[in-house]
Amino acid sequence: MDRHKDASAIRIRNRHAALYAARLRPGGHVILPEAPYLHLFVARGAVDLEGVGALGEGDAARFTATGGHRVAASEPAEILVWEMRAAVAL
């Protein structure tokens, strides 16, 4: 997204999307952004997703028209979050 153009480590060439990555220590947390579409993927470790429960390595969750959920690590974890502002046309 244009709002991230000066802070991005990589560019994904989709002006309607952003990819976030986080490494969390046990007890550490992040708040998911508000967006029309979100996809959370647990690449390593285990987390607790507010309102959903425990997610482990390889688990994923999708959200529509939401955000603000807290993701807390129950062990060292790495997560990826895709924020999308427009649906992908197939």
Side-chain angles (χ1 to χ4, degrees):
M1 286 185 244
D2 288 338
R3 68 183 171 151
H4 297 299
K5 69 181 178 185
D6 295 327
S8 63
I10 61 169
R11 304 235 351 136
I12 57 176
R13 294 188 180 195
N14 182 332
R15 65 187 177 123
H16 302 292
L19 171 63
Y20 304 94
R23 285 189 179 142
L24 302 172
R25 294 181 177 157
H29 73 276
V30 295
I31 304 297
L32 296 178
E34 299 277 342
Y37 307 98
L38 285 176
H39 182 91
L40 166 68
F41 177 73
V42 181
R44 184 175 73 93
V47 299
D48 184 57
L49 175 59
E50 179 181 41
V52 174
L55 298 175
E57 193 167 309
D59 287 342
R62 293 184 200 175
F63 303 89
T64 303
T66 189
H69 295 83
R70 184 175 188 259
V71 179
S74 53
E75 61 183 61
E78 295 177 5
I79 61 170
L80 298 172
V81 177
W82 286 268
E83 172 187 359
M84 293 158 280
R85 297 282 166 183
V88 177
L90 298 175

